[in-house]
Amino acid sequence: MIGIKTARAIAHSNIALIKYWGKREGTPGVPDDLNLPAVGSLSLTLDSLRSETEVGPSPSERDAFVLNGEHRGDTMAAKVFRHLDRIWAETGNSGPRPPCQVISHNHLPTSAGLASSASGFAALTLAGAAALELDASPAALSALARRGSGSAARSLWGGFVRLERGHLADGSDCQARPLFPASHWDVRLLIVHTARGPKAIGSTEGMERCRRTSPYYSSWVDTSEGDLAAAEAAIAARDLAALGPVMEQSCFKMHACMMATYPPIIYWNGVTLEVMRAVWEAREAGLEGYATSDAGPHVKVLCLAATAEALAERLAAQPGVLAVESVGPGPNAQVEVFG
Ligand code: PMV
């Protein structure tokens, strides 16, 4: 049997400022497994929210997945092993993949719209590729991570990262690249928790329902490139007043597209909306922050580091808010190989 190494990776989560929502329609003859996005996206990697994943030989000679200390045999485990199969296929080795043990810790809530799949699949890709000795460039590893979860392609780098939509059928031009490192701009993302527990509907299913039934889907897709260009220019100029509106609108366009599907998809709760209103009121009062939210009810607010504490205090006082975390720009993902 082929021996494998043990490798441990840390990848930080990211939040899209310009959102990815929707998958490109399959091209005949090209496997759907490429997971190609219908739109590009631009994100901020986050400092304290991260996944740590170790991949190594399995002592039981069978695939095993342990998440936050708990053995998993569910669909999440199946996704993990399928991802290792993709990595193995890229190595060009013939024959079955050696059984692996995957031990993962998410230092963030899993599947609650806080991008656990981004950091999770990025860490799994790096540790899996190192353990199975895949020799690949960072861009190729990012493209592999994308096949596990679209947002994971962005979590290989710190700071501000852009994932291109690309146009080639084989997905080779759909790659993420770092735009600016974490040190570029001293911003904070306030994560305003408005509920506990996992999200109601997974992003893949939600995206597909949007593509099939939302009358707003094509406008959503058609306006994305303009948003990406405007956001990239605003970040380059460290101009929050220019970035904020385009970032808020990207979020609202995505959620409007979801709400217009049938049956409708609404990830928000009442507190989500009240927090957004509170963000706008605070802005009027001179505390400048801009809201975004993902496939979950939490609100994330982008602001300058100097404003973070006062804004966080104000949002924490909002009825129904469970907690507010202030997170800075995070670093590149890292991997270490043992024996
Ligand atoms: O990468 P996925 O399949 O978990 O989808 C991510 C979708 C959003 O978080 C809503 C937006 C984004 O670009 O991260």
Side-chain angles (χ1 to χ4, degrees), residues 16 19-21 23 41 117 149-151 154 203 207 254 294-295:
K19 305 292 183 191
Y20 145 56
W21 190 256
K23 299 190 194 290
S41 51
S117 67
S149 165
S151 52
R154 304 183 306 237
S203 53
M207 289 181 198
M254 178 182 82
D294 293 281

Side-chain angles (χ1 to χ4, degrees), residues 69-251:
E70 201 186 312
H71 272 273
R72 305 283 293 241
D74 52 6
T75 51
M76 196 181 284
K79 283 185 189 171
V80 165
F81 301 129
R82 188 157 156 235
H83 198 61
L84 292 178
D85 289 341
R86 290 183 186 116
I87 296 171
W88 181 246
E90 293 293 314
T91 64
N93 277 303
S94 55
R97 169 177 61 76
C100 296
Q101 173 172 268
V102 179
I103 301 173
S104 204
H105 286 275
N106 272 346
H107 297 272
L108 76 178
T110 302
S111 302
L114 286 173
S116 57
S117 67
S119 52
F121 274 104
L124 178 66
T125 304
L126 289 183
L132 298 173
E133 296 185 87
L134 170 66
D135 185 17
S137 68
L141 289 171
S142 158
L144 248 175
R146 183 204 69 229
R147 291 168 68 184
S149 165
S151 52
R154 304 183 306 237
S155 266
L156 263 70
W157 293 281
F160 297 87
V161 181
R162 179 165 171 170
L163 174 61
E164 297 298 340
R165 174 196 193 272
H167 292 278
L168 297 175
D170 67 358
S172 54
D173 58 347
C174 176
Q175 294 182 344
R177 66 193 157 91
L179 292 179
F180 304 100
S183 58
H184 171 71
W185 198 7
D186 201 12
V187 289
R188 294 289 178 274
L189 200 79
L190 306 179
I191 302 181
V192 185
H193 295 251
T194 65
R196 291 194 180 85
K199 61 191 168 196
I201 163 170
S203 53
T204 299
E205 193 189 336
M207 289 181 198
E208 179 56 12
R209 199 188 294 172
C210 266
R211 189 183 65 76
R212 278 191 294 103
T213 75
S214 178
Y216 302 154
Y217 185 71
S218 57
S219 315
W220 157 251
V221 170
D222 293 346
T223 56
S224 158
E225 281 297 311
D227 291 348
L228 286 164
E232 186 173 335
I235 295 166
R238 301 185 189 88
D239 185 346
L240 187 62
L243 175 61
V246 69
M247 156 196 157
E248 278 196 347
Q249 205 188 0
S250 172
C251 162

